[in-house]
Amino acid sequence: MTSALPRLTSFTDYLDLYARARPDADAVWHAGTLLSYRALAEQVDAMAGSLAAAGLRAGDRVAVLSTPRPEYLVTLLAAFRLGAVWVGLNPKYTYRELAHVVADSRPRLILSIARAEGREFDTDIARLASEFAVEGRYVIGDDGPTPALHRLPAPVPFVRHPVAPGDAATIVYTSGSSGTPKGAVLSHRGLVYASVVEAEMNEVPHPRVPCNLPINHVACIADLTGTTLAAGGMLALLDSFDPAEILELIERLKLTNLMSVPTVLQLIVMQPDFDWRDLSSLRLVAWGGAPLPIEVIRVYRRLGVQLMTVYGMTETIASITFTARDASDEVLAETVGHFDPGMQVRLADEQDRAVAVGEQGEVQVRHEGLFLEYFGRPDATAAAYSADGWFKTGDVGVLRPDGNLRLVGRRSDMIKSGGYNVYPREIELCLESRGDVALAAVIGRPDEKFGEVAVAYVVPQPGTRPDPECLKAFCRDQLANYKVPKDFVIVDELPLLPVGKVDKQELRRRARA
């Protein structure tokens, strides 16, 4: 492991550290333009002065609608300078989704880019400001003001707020894959812990990292932005995901860390020029959120880079597990690694009693860096913890004798079929072990006889067309009969949430239709 990084109080402390120690080092790249740490610090101070002039004060919320671009990072750090709480808005959200976050978080100000991917935000921002009594709405980015988006006032002198580690830093709304999104309030302590530990595990000094994930996701804020800032590296911000562009940028910008969701990594290796691009700068390929098929792991293994998978969630901020540096392809594909020794972790049954190695149990965590609360929802916050104070992730796993955790599924995804508990991930892994299956997603569908039955949606490997009856026979050979899906649906692609995870709510709607 590389030498320990300093544990500072806030992301802005790392900005200040490197603006002093490495002022001319690359900090941000976007659309062909580089910002040094000195230039980034100047932009952050100017933004903080403008936000102060607009009336933003410590404890206020500021909502920011943007793609991953410098304005995202500058507003995040400027809000932290003032002790304000930053809330990300995804440009792909519908008005209903935007309204939910704004109504729930009650920001004093909304900052927004004027347009993205052909969509104009003027009307939506005006409606949000009117409907939810937002005091100010301002344009950020290169576009000028619009009828609904005003220009930010000129910067005024401001006093940096003395942030405490336990202060609220940002509110991140959970994906809503299993219900209405809740606003998880994340502290500066939690963000710094997550970022420093992961940067140290990555073992890449001054990393150069691409980021195309939505700015409202914890992986963008902590896993990519935070780890890069903590290690004094460069963040390559990309407005949208284009696998061909990322491949080209690895070569052109000498990117070192490719950290994303499995869908992104799979699409990158499928590019026709993958084999002849100069990828020698890459030091690390890491993923989280879902397993990466072993065939794709082997493609990246041939590059001679470090491979790692992690497991965490919005409420834990930090990753709960990491795979070891010498992890085999099987461990990388089938598990999420060992527990972070800085956390207390247990697997528990439905009565919150610890289970033995090899038994299924819910992953539960105790740690000082956990989320502070669900904003404005004390009942939901209380319900997220066991009676003895462990945060209940809702993820079900099995701890193997070798110390690696294998995730089985989510309790909310569990299918109750004929009195048996069926976890979709076990079936998905079984199907994905076939050479003709690229991806599989399994959900439950109501059934008069069994209560629920499993339905499998399968994406074939290119050039193949698996037969549903063959898939069913394969599952019968590999799984207990009550786990075998009732139906197998062959699809060209799976519906995805903005962060790249499979949208199982949509699949449930399709199955029930």
Side-chain angles (χ1 to χ4, degrees):
M1 185 178 291
T2 56
S3 58
L5 293 167
R7 294 286 178 92
L8 305 179
T9 301
S10 171
F11 283 0
T12 55
D13 295 323
Y14 291 96
L15 172 64
D16 294 339
L17 171 67
Y18 294 114
R20 290 191 306 267
R22 306 177 66 239
D24 297 319
D26 297 340
V28 179
W29 178 94
H30 175 258
T33 298
L34 267 172
L35 285 178
S36 66
Y37 271 93
R38 178 193 291 113
L40 177 60
E42 290 171 352
Q43 288 197 16
V44 168
D45 284 343
M47 176 61 72
S50 289
L51 294 178
L56 193 68
R57 298 291 181 265
D60 290 341
R61 273 84 58 200
V62 54
V64 178
L65 188 154
S66 178
T67 55
R69 54 190 301 155
E71 290 78 12
Y72 142 67
L73 182 57
V74 169
T75 60
L76 178 78
L77 297 174
F80 291 178
R81 280 268 198 262
L82 299 174
V85 180
W86 187 93
V87 183
L89 299 175
N90 193 330
K92 293 186 181 297
Y93 275 180
T94 63
Y95 180 80
R96 181 186 64 82
E97 292 167 316
L98 291 172
H100 171 74
V101 175
V102 171
D104 192 72
S105 62
R106 306 188 300 278
R108 179 182 289 268
L109 306 178
I110 293 180
L111 312 179
S112 177
I113 55 176
R115 58 190 58 84
E117 298 182 358
R119 179 181 174 185
E120 303 281 342
F121 296 107
D122 192 88
T123 302
D124 283 346
I125 298 300
R127 184 178 169 190
L128 288 169
S130 173
E131 190 169 347
F132 302 108
V134 178
E135 290 185 15
R137 51 190 193 273
Y138 300 98
V139 67
I140 52 175
D142 298 330
D143 298 313
T146 70
L149 292 167
H150 309 137
R151 194 183 303 278
L152 275 163
V156 298
F158 66 94
V159 176
R160 296 188 183 187
H161 183 77
V163 169
D167 287 350
T170 181
I171 303 176
V172 174
Y173 282 79
T174 57
S175 65
S177 59
S178 57
T180 302
K182 299 185 291 290
V185 182
L186 312 186
S187 68
H188 290 281
R189 178 189 289 115
L191 289 175
V192 166
Y193 178 89
S195 302
V196 170
V197 169
E198 191 158 338
E200 290 175 346
M201 292 295 298
N202 292 345
E203 296 191 286
V204 180
H206 311 313
R208 300 170 71 84
V209 183
C211 174
N212 66 277
L213 296 179
I215 69 167
N216 62 310
H217 196 277
V218 71
C220 175
I221 299 168
D223 298 75
L224 298 179
T225 300
T227 57
T228 306
L229 264 178
M234 183 200 78
L235 199 64
L237 292 167
L238 310 173
D239 288 289
S240 59
F241 170 58
D242 179 346
E245 180 187 22
I246 289 183
L247 201 53
E248 190 268 333
L249 288 177
I250 294 172
E251 183 175 72
R252 176 152 57 97
L253 298 179
K254 304 301 179 188
L255 301 180
T256 62
N257 295 21
L258 191 53
M259 305 188 296
S260 197
V261 293
T263 309
V264 168
L265 297 180
Q266 288 175 265
L267 290 171
I268 288 172
V269 301
M270 291 170 63
Q271 295 306 299
D273 56 345
F274 181 85
D275 289 330
W276 57 262
R277 283 287 184 185
D278 179 5
L279 306 180
S280 59
S281 64
L282 273 183
R283 299 276 303 280
L284 171 76
V285 175
W287 62 95
L292 188 65
I294 197 165
E295 293 79 9
V296 181
I297 290 171
R298 288 168 179 158
V299 172
Y300 284 110
R301 177 79 76 186
R302 290 196 290 271
L303 297 178
V305 301
Q306 174 64 25
L307 302 177
M308 180 188 295
T309 183
V310 302
Y311 156 61
M313 60 195 309
T314 301
E315 291 87 345
T316 65
I317 314 178
S319 294
I320 301 169
T321 64
F322 299 86
T323 47
R325 292 191 65 79
D326 60 354
S328 67
D329 292 351
E330 181 270 334
V331 166
L332 288 163
E334 301 288 340
T335 82
V336 290
H338 292 257
F339 297 136
D340 172 7
M343 291 186 180
Q344 290 180 281
V345 188
R346 72 181 184 187
L347 300 186
D349 61 19
E350 293 185 0
Q351 286 73 46
D352 295 325
R353 297 172 303 203
V355 301
V357 171
E359 294 183 5
Q360 290 185 359
E362 180 186 30
V363 180
Q364 299 185 349
V365 180
R366 285 201 300 209
H367 185 248
E368 64 178 2
L370 293 174
F371 80 120
L372 299 176
E373 63 174 334
Y374 291 122
F375 187 70
R377 300 184 67 174
D379 292 347
T381 304
Y385 287 85
S386 67
D388 53 347
W390 291 76
F391 172 68
K392 302 189 293 185
T393 67
D395 292 316
V396 178
V398 176
L399 189 63
R400 306 192 329 179
D402 62 5
N404 287 297
L405 175 67
R406 179 172 64 87
L407 291 179
V408 177
R410 286 194 60 77
R411 278 191 170 170
S412 59
D413 288 341
M414 186 183 73
I415 301 166
K416 198 80 168 178
S417 186
Y420 290 99
N421 294 344
V422 178
Y423 290 100
R425 191 59 203 147
E426 182 181 9
I427 306 170
E428 292 163 359
L429 286 170
C430 173
L431 287 167
E432 288 171 358
S433 70
R434 287 176 55 100
D436 56 355
V437 175
L439 289 170
V442 174
I443 51 88
R445 186 189 69 199
D447 182 82
E448 288 186 5
K449 182 177 181 180
F450 296 103
E452 271 189 305
V453 293
V455 177
Y457 289 83
V458 174
V459 178
Q461 289 284 5
T464 69
R465 196 70 182 176
D467 177 68
E469 289 304 315
C470 291
L471 294 176
K472 183 173 287 189
F474 179 79
C475 286
R476 285 200 187 102
D477 288 340
Q478 305 290 322
L479 301 167
N481 64 342
Y482 64 87
K483 298 178 184 178
V484 176
K486 181 76 169 177
D487 294 312
F488 293 80
V489 184
I490 310 301
V491 294
D492 293 331
E493 60 184 16
L494 296 170
L496 302 178
L497 294 164
V499 74
K501 295 182 182 180
V502 175
D503 186 348
K504 290 199 169 181
Q505 291 278 54
E506 171 60 24
L507 290 181
R508 291 186 187 98
R509 284 191 287 268
R510 294 182 187 182
R512 291 170 181 176

